[in-house]
Amino acid sequence: MSHLKLFAATLRRHGFKLLEKQDIARRAFLHGQRYVSSGTSEPFLSGSNSNYVEEMYYAWLENPKSVHKSWDVFFRSANAGQTRDPHLPAQLEGKASFLQSHGLAPTPGKAEKVVEDHLAVQSLIRAYQIRGHHVAQLDPLGILDADLDSFIPSDLITTIDKLGFYGLHESDLDKVFQLPTTTFIGGNENSLSLREIIKRLEYTYCQHIGLEYMFINDVEQCQWIRQKFETPGVMKFTNEEKRTLLARLVRSMRGRLNVLANVIRKELEQIFCQFDPKLEAADEGSGDVKYHLGMYHERINRVTNKKITLSLMANPSHLEAVDPVVQGKTKAEQFYRGDTAGKKVMSILLHGDAAFAGQGVVYETFHLSDLPSYTTNGTIHVVVNNQIGFTTDPRMARSSPYPTDVARVVNAPIFHVNADDPEAVMYVCSVAAEWRNTFNKDVVVDLVCYRRRGHNEMDEPMFTQPLMYKQIHKQVPVLKKYADKLIADGTVTLQEFEEEIAKYDRICEEAYTRSKDNKILHIKHWLDSPWPGFFNMDGEPKSMSCPPTGISEELLTHIGNVASSVPVEDFKIHSGLSRILKARSEMTKNRVVDWALAEYMAFGSVLKEGIHVRLSGQDVERGTFSHRHHVLHDQEVDKRTCVPMNHLWEQQAPYTVCNSSLSEYGVLGFELGFAMASPNALVCWEAQFGDFHNTAQCIIDQFISSGQAKWVRHNGIVLLLPHGMEGMGPEHSSARPERFLQMSNDDSDAYPEFSEQFEVSQLYECNWIVVNCSTPANYFHVLRRQILLPFRKPLIVLTPKSLLRHPEAKSSFDEMVSGTTFQRVIPENGLAAQAPHEVKRVIFCTGKVYYDLVKERKNQDLEKQVAITRLEQISPFPFDLLKEELDKYPTADLVWCQEEHKNSGYYDYVKPRFRTIVNHTRPIWYVGREPAAAAATGNKNMHLVSLRRFLDTAFNLEAFEGKTF
């Protein structure tokens, strides 16, 4: 019988309850211990088992309740000398006790001191690992504490007298202690003197690098970081590496354009010419200040001799707003390359300290980092921590100790580093890159530095930070510091250093001379997301036409059949969903579609053409209003799903539909970035309710509406915004169309010239397209037109809620088959259109209110006297088609009717444009709800009363008699 079995039998005879191996491991984990399985052949008191018993004993001495009660009884008996037994293995005999045989002598005083000292040393090591960063020398100015706290943790041995905190004394400094498995400071040594332990911990954790990682709940990851930083001698550079680093410092001392010049490698003359105020802009639009421009560049990595593509995203002054945009573009580039593990494409985000702590979009972006449809497999965050936010001190700018504390929410390690130590910076960045490549997780590098001058060229920082800037003015620049260090140790000579400076000065002077030859500024040379082959060489569309957006009836039928089926065997769906699929099947047989089926056919048809479709947003898989159901869930197998859209054809583009986190700002920015990567994708973001887009207003204002004007950057993102006044309250009714219309760039007073290609030309000149479709067929067409246009513009779609199931809101296949197209205006086609000169009133409207008007007109028997015309595309304004309608009814009253309040909705946008068409000769009267501060009422009765009131006005043919305009 093995020793283990003999020992177990002995313990059982003494009444001890033995734990199974897995129970021991579990309890060891709960107590913070490490348990390693020994296998069946290993003697109980050798190898890892002996270590485990020893660890249990130390834990028991510290707190008897911290171990299982069987261990407690055993150790009490052992201490009392009661462990002798003839059945114990021989290695337990020959000494006073079992404990003595393993150096765990229970002799009062001596044993306790040995155990306590070892435990103290382990606690000391852990203290440095957890809190060493608090005393690291991170501030290059030496005047501030990077963590906002001036205290020194009491459990760090910064002075000899603090040894007493652990019950240690100065006489213990030369004692040798066994090192735990949770540190690598020993290198190849398993034990060190206390003096050497403290020295190595100080060197690792309290110099120019501060490490925050002990909050990470993955042991392997913590061990990996410990090994990278604690192992003696890891941060050593060759002389060649040091010389290269010095040369890079010489080039980077030019300041804020460093990233463009030295990372992206933008031509210096192109950078210098940006400073010429006489330079003429060659591109249309506003352009942007040089510090906001992006760049796309392919270069050779001289180390690996491989080609690398770098894209610097254009960004607004709204700090951190670009973060999710970068992540979205990164995800798209990975997607198109099949890079599921993030080994070909990665993102680096540059942050400022005040913005990183203050801007909520940072948190939103972090929370996308590990979501299946949003992860980029790890991002390297570099925080340029100049310890000031414009004029605001850190203690006024954040409540957290560090500006980087937000990264803790996703267990991202945080490496603080004194930026005046170039070698420390290089090593930290190298480890960060290796971390990302190893674990596919985010990591933060906090470059603690200083801002040599003011916030901009005109700023005087001495007004608000006099002491800091007195020190900065005395501070030796990092280039000189490092050069002096390398000269002192003989790595370079003073002459070599001066020649390196002179060499780069010549490069800059020659580039500056060449820059004077540039007379025209081309913003397109600063494009961050070019689409090779999509435009002509000069960046213009290859044509100014758009083919019909209809498709064959065969195609419609096929998509309808798949949409009403479950294309996976043995897949049980919900009974309610079975009814929905059956209804879709009946519609397909009857050649009609509702809103959900029309969308299905639009998506499915472009997938067949090789266009990737991505639909993202809150609850989009099912649809907020339970109308879409693009992801089916097996009712009997947990997490088993089916996406029928991906089963349309064997050869089709993939369809991605993904519920997002409860975020608008971050997710809309992400989808915008995804849409930047390629024109051959239909990327849609749907708000849960239309007005929720206002929490992403920054993305809409700074990127979507103005992106092309500022950065010559096309983008075809689609915003789906549920909209409609239905008594649901102020927060679930209006998608605020007035805001999108106010930001539209078409001129209300300029009467355009109509040409054969007027529709497409008008779309090309606008900054975005705003539509409110009243039929499923038109929704189908506008989605397909988005892809078939020879350019890309953002599309804002005010989507319905009640119309999703309205019996009249259905379309025939006849409106969607080949040859049909999107209708910007749907004119009256009933009795009124047959005798236009007898029509007394033409009501223009958009969206859902059309169905209320048609019903009321019929109830009042006014179908001959009142014509109703729908604007499906509101912006750019369809001047040509509306002129035809106005000319058709020359004597009729002109009314704009909307269900929104007068100070919202469309009236302020359409009124001046209607008047421009008629040259101010005819009024366009308003019918709708009165102005109000809230977008809608939450009282159903009030909603119905106000609806009744404006419907009565709309069909009161004498309502405007005698009024002037």
Side-chain angles (χ1 to χ4, degrees):
M1 185 180 291
S2 70
H3 290 156
L4 177 58
K5 292 181 178 179
L6 283 171
F7 184 47
T10 302
L11 291 177
R12 287 193 183 98
R13 280 199 297 275
H14 280 271
F16 295 130
K17 178 183 177 182
L18 297 185
L19 300 175
E20 294 295 329
K21 185 183 296 182
Q22 60 267 32
D23 292 325
I24 294 175
R26 178 175 58 82
R27 294 184 183 279
F29 176 79
L30 290 174
H31 293 301
Q33 306 295 331
R34 185 184 180 201
Y35 171 75
V36 181
S37 175
S38 62
T40 58
S41 61
E42 186 180 25
F44 180 73
L45 292 175
S46 67
S48 57
N49 287 323
S50 178
N51 291 337
Y52 178 66
V53 174
E54 182 179 352
E55 290 175 354
M56 287 293 97
Y57 179 60
Y58 288 149
W60 175 78
L61 283 176
E62 186 178 24
N63 179 9
K65 294 183 179 179
S66 68
V67 300
H68 191 266
K69 63 180 181 180
S70 58
W71 282 115
D72 181 36
V73 174
F74 174 71
F75 289 135
R76 289 181 188 277
S77 300
N79 267 1
Q82 299 173 4
T83 60
R84 291 186 179 274
D85 190 283
H87 295 93
L88 284 177
Q91 58 192 130
L92 295 187
E93 299 294 336
K95 289 191 179 182
S97 71
F98 155 72
L99 299 176
Q100 287 177 326
S101 72
H102 284 77
L104 306 179
T107 307
K110 181 182 177 181
E112 291 186 8
K113 173 62 175 170
V114 171
V115 173
E116 287 174 0
D117 287 355
H118 274 84
L119 288 174
V121 171
Q122 292 192 29
S123 298
L124 171 64
I125 293 171
R126 185 172 176 82
Y128 274 93
Q129 292 171 339
I130 295 174
R131 287 180 287 281
H133 57 86
H134 286 295
V135 293
Q137 300 168 28
L138 298 177
D139 180 16
L141 301 176
I143 58 176
L144 294 176
D145 296 290
D147 61 351
L148 295 187
D149 290 320
S150 58
F151 86 101
I152 297 175
S154 58
D155 52 354
L156 299 183
I157 310 299
T158 54
T159 57
I160 295 299
D161 61 301
K162 285 198 173 184
L163 286 169
F165 180 87
Y166 293 95
L168 297 169
H169 305 282
E170 190 171 353
S171 59
D172 296 318
L173 286 173
D174 294 317
K175 286 184 179 178
V176 175
F177 292 87
Q178 186 80 18
L179 295 173
T181 58
T182 54
T183 187
F184 292 86
I185 60 173
N188 295 325
E189 302 173 90
N190 294 323
S191 58
L192 294 172
S193 68
L194 177 58
R195 188 186 306 276
E196 187 64 20
I197 289 172
I198 294 173
K199 177 184 174 182
R200 295 190 185 189
L201 290 171
E202 286 281 327
Y203 181 80
T204 299
Y205 290 102
C206 302
Q207 299 304 306
H208 289 164
I209 297 174
L211 304 174
E212 284 190 276
Y213 66 95
M214 290 293 282
F215 54 82
I216 297 175
N217 52 24
D218 186 294
V219 175
E220 179 191 359
Q221 293 175 10
C222 289
Q223 286 289 81
W224 188 91
I225 293 172
R226 292 185 189 113
Q227 185 174 24
K228 291 297 177 183
F229 288 98
E230 292 183 350
T231 303
V234 289
M235 203 175 79
K236 288 185 178 179
F237 294 88
T238 66
N239 286 345
E240 183 60 32
E241 289 171 331
K242 292 178 180 179
R243 285 192 289 267
T244 300
L245 179 51
L246 181 64
R248 294 291 179 265
L249 276 176
V250 168
R251 291 171 175 257
S252 65
M253 285 297 286
R254 288 177 52 250
R256 63 196 299 177
L257 295 173
N258 174 42
V259 173
L260 272 174
N262 294 310
V263 179
I264 307 298
R265 299 295 175 91
K266 178 71 174 174
E267 297 89 342
L268 289 175
E269 55 265 37
Q270 294 242 351
I271 296 176
F272 291 147
C273 76
Q274 285 279 324
F275 290 84
D276 186 351
K278 299 178 182 178
L279 213 58
E280 180 184 347
D283 306 291
E284 296 181 1
S286 63
D288 203 349
V289 297
K290 47 191 156 291
Y291 313 115
H292 291 172
L293 297 177
M295 182 57 195
Y296 180 93
H297 185 61
E298 291 184 352
R299 52 170 287 201
I300 298 295
N301 184 326
R302 299 301 178 188
V303 177
T304 63
N305 206 33
K306 291 182 178 180
K307 185 169 68 174
I308 183 172
T309 300
L310 298 166
S311 178
L312 176 69
M313 300 296 291
N315 61 280
S317 287
H318 294 62
L319 298 174
E320 309 295 339
V322 77
D323 294 354
V325 183
V326 171
Q327 300 299 72
K329 186 182 179 190
T330 303
K331 181 67 175 181
E333 297 287 0
Q334 291 175 347
F335 175 83
Y336 295 126
R337 286 170 171 78
D339 183 18
T340 57
K343 300 301 182 184
K344 299 178 182 178
V345 184
M346 66 171 290
S347 58
I348 301 175
L349 289 178
L350 300 180
H351 310 271
D353 53 322
F356 199 63
Q359 293 293 320
V361 70
V362 175
Y363 181 87
E364 291 189 35
T365 305
F366 267 118
H367 268 285
L368 297 176
S369 65
D370 206 28
L371 302 183
S373 296
Y374 302 88
T375 182
T376 58
N377 300 288
T379 295
I380 297 178
H381 301 263
V382 179
V383 179
V384 182
N385 182 359
N386 55 31
Q387 307 180 81
I388 189 172
F390 199 164
T391 67
T392 304
D393 290 331
R395 64 181 180 273
M396 304 299 178
R398 64 178 187 265
S399 296
S400 60
Y402 293 101
T404 53
D405 287 326
V406 64
R408 286 170 165 256
V409 300
V410 292
N411 278 337
I414 302 165
F415 305 149
H416 308 280
V417 59
N418 186 322
D420 261 16
D421 185 341
E423 291 181 10
V425 172
M426 286 288 289
Y427 185 73
V428 159
C429 290
S430 175
V431 173
E434 194 174 347
W435 162 275
R436 189 269 177 193
N437 194 48
T438 302
F439 297 107
N440 294 113
K441 296 282 187 180
D442 285 30
V443 58
V444 177
V445 175
D446 179 22
L447 298 176
V448 185
C449 51
Y450 57 91
R451 189 185 67 195
R452 182 163 289 279
R453 298 178 179 83
H455 181 73
N456 54 41
E457 292 83 348
M458 307 298 293
D459 190 39
E460 174 49 78
M462 288 289 287
F463 287 148
T464 51
Q465 279 77 29
L467 295 181
M468 173 184 274
Y469 274 86
K470 284 179 182 177
Q471 179 61 39
I472 289 174
H473 293 155
K474 294 187 293 183
Q475 189 81 0
V476 178
V478 63
L479 174 60
K480 187 174 187 327
K481 277 186 182 179
Y482 192 57
D484 289 347
K485 176 179 179 291
L486 296 191
I487 292 170
D489 64 24
T491 304
V492 298
T493 65
L494 176 60
Q495 181 181 352
E496 289 172 331
F497 174 53
E498 290 175 342
E499 287 175 353
E500 187 67 38
I501 292 177
K503 174 185 174 183
Y504 194 59
D505 281 346
R506 285 195 304 273
I507 292 173
C508 290
E509 286 294 338
E510 292 169 0
Y512 179 67
T513 301
R514 292 194 301 271
S515 73
K516 294 180 180 179
D517 297 332
N518 290 327
K519 305 300 181 185
I520 298 177
L521 171 64
H522 293 277
I523 300 297
K524 65 183 65 174
H525 291 165
W526 297 77
L527 192 61
D528 57 17
S529 303
W531 294 337
F534 186 69
F535 294 112
N536 288 331
M537 292 298 292
D538 59 358
E540 297 298 318
K542 293 181 177 179
S543 71
M544 289 301 287
S545 62
C546 180
T549 47
I551 59 177
S552 70
E553 183 159 342
E554 180 185 4
L555 204 57
L556 291 171
T557 302
H558 173 75
I559 297 173
N561 289 336
V562 174
S564 55
S565 67
V566 182
V568 176
E569 293 183 0
D570 301 322
F571 194 98
K572 184 174 178 58
I573 61 174
H574 190 276
S575 58
L577 186 55
S578 297
R579 292 192 295 272
I580 293 173
L581 298 187
K582 184 178 179 180
R584 285 182 185 173
S585 177
E586 288 298 316
M587 283 191 290
T588 303
K589 291 177 183 177
N590 294 328
R591 302 181 68 253
V592 296
V593 296
D594 62 3
W595 211 270
L597 192 51
E599 180 184 76
Y600 214 109
M601 291 177 171
F603 288 176
S605 60
V606 297
L607 289 172
K608 187 177 191 301
E609 296 162 14
I611 301 298
H612 171 55
V613 179
R614 178 181 170 94
L615 174 60
S616 165
Q618 296 157 22
D619 310 300
V620 296
E621 294 179 4
R622 191 202 72 175
T624 298
F625 310 102
S626 196
H627 68 291
R628 183 174 286 126
H629 296 286
H630 283 189
V631 178
L632 310 182
H633 292 260
D634 195 310
Q635 299 296 297
E636 296 181 346
V637 181
D638 187 35
K639 297 180 181 178
R640 187 186 184 208
T641 60
C642 170
V643 181
M645 193 86 75
N646 280 321
H647 295 265
L648 288 167
W649 295 277
E650 288 187 7
Q651 299 295 325
Q652 65 167 79
Y655 173 55
T656 302
V657 55
C658 45
N659 290 341
S660 74
S661 64
L662 203 66
S663 156
E664 288 83 27
Y665 192 167
V667 174
L668 178 55
F670 188 98
E671 301 307 329
L672 178 76
F674 200 103
M676 281 180 191
S678 171
N680 299 315
L682 183 62
V683 180
C684 306
W685 174 76
E686 183 175 71
Q688 193 176 62
F689 287 90
D691 55 329
F692 291 177
H693 75 74
N694 58 16
T695 60
Q697 199 68 46
C698 180
I699 297 295
I700 294 169
D701 291 356
Q702 308 310 130
F703 292 88
I704 299 178
S705 74
S706 58
Q708 184 179 349
K710 293 192 293 187
W711 307 315
V712 200
R713 181 167 71 191
H714 284 237
N715 195 292
I717 191 169
V718 178
L719 273 62
L720 305 176
L721 308 177
H723 172 83
M725 307 295 112
E726 289 152 355
M728 296 183 68
E731 276 73 55
H732 298 91
S733 299
S734 177
R736 294 293 187 179
E738 66 276 3
R739 295 181 179 171
F740 295 97
L741 296 174
Q742 182 195 31
M743 289 188 282
S744 296
N745 66 352
D746 61 334
D747 189 346
S748 62
D749 300 320
Y751 190 74
E753 294 184 5
F754 304 137
S755 64
E756 184 178 350
Q757 300 298 335
F758 174 73
E759 176 184 353
V760 177
S761 298
Q762 191 185 34
L763 291 173
Y764 180 68
E765 292 168 2
C766 75
N767 62 319
W768 59 16
I769 305 165
V770 183
V771 302
N772 188 355
C773 302
S774 62
T775 69
N778 234 14
Y779 178 50
F780 162 87
H781 284 298
V782 80
L783 290 176
R784 286 187 47 79
R785 186 183 73 171
Q786 189 70 358
I787 288 298
L788 294 176
L789 284 170
F791 47 81
R792 294 291 175 262
K793 299 286 178 174
L795 173 63
I796 316 300
V797 184
L798 304 169
T799 58
K801 295 177 292 181
S802 62
L803 288 192
L804 295 174
R805 295 176 175 82
H806 196 292
E808 300 299 320
K810 291 185 178 178
S811 298
S812 167
F813 278 15
D814 294 336
E815 302 170 62
M816 303 164 67
V817 293
S818 301
T820 59
T821 189
F822 175 72
Q823 292 181 273
R824 293 175 290 150
V825 172
I826 301 180
E828 170 65 51
N829 59 2
L831 295 176
Q834 297 173 12
H837 289 277
E838 297 178 13
V839 171
K840 296 183 178 180
R841 176 167 295 173
V842 181
I843 298 176
F844 295 92
C845 66
T846 186
K848 177 180 74 71
V849 74
Y850 166 76
Y851 294 91
D852 296 320
L853 291 169
V854 168
K855 181 179 179 181
E856 184 64 22
R857 180 178 66 174
K858 184 176 182 180
N859 290 341
Q860 295 197 25
D861 196 21
L862 293 174
E863 291 171 300
K864 290 184 178 180
Q865 295 96 322
V866 177
I868 302 176
T869 296
R870 288 169 272 175
L871 267 73
E872 302 286 290
Q873 176 179 296
I874 307 157
S875 179
F877 198 67
F879 283 96
D880 53 336
L881 300 181
L882 287 174
K883 185 180 188 309
E884 294 177 8
E885 286 300 292
L886 293 170
D887 290 346
K888 187 188 300 183
Y889 306 101
T891 60
D893 287 342
L894 306 180
V895 167
W896 174 262
C897 182
Q898 65 181 40
E899 60 179 353
E900 298 82 2
H901 292 282
K902 188 176 184 180
N903 59 327
S904 57
Y906 323 89
Y907 182 60
D908 287 339
Y909 176 84
V910 302
K911 178 182 177 181
R913 289 164 175 80
F914 270 112
R915 297 188 69 182
T916 295
I917 294 175
V918 298
N919 199 21
H920 300 271
T921 59
R922 298 167 69 183
I924 177 80
W925 302 106
Y926 171 78
V927 171
R929 291 183 167 92
E930 296 297 314
T937 179
N939 183 290
K940 191 69 174 180
N941 184 61
M942 288 181 63
H943 167 76
L944 294 174
V945 168
S946 59
L947 173 63
R948 178 74 265 154
R949 186 181 297 125
F950 81 71
L951 287 177
D952 287 344
T953 304
F955 293 99
N956 180 357
L957 300 183
E958 300 176 354
F960 305 110
E961 287 187 3
K963 291 188 176 182
T964 58
F965 67 96

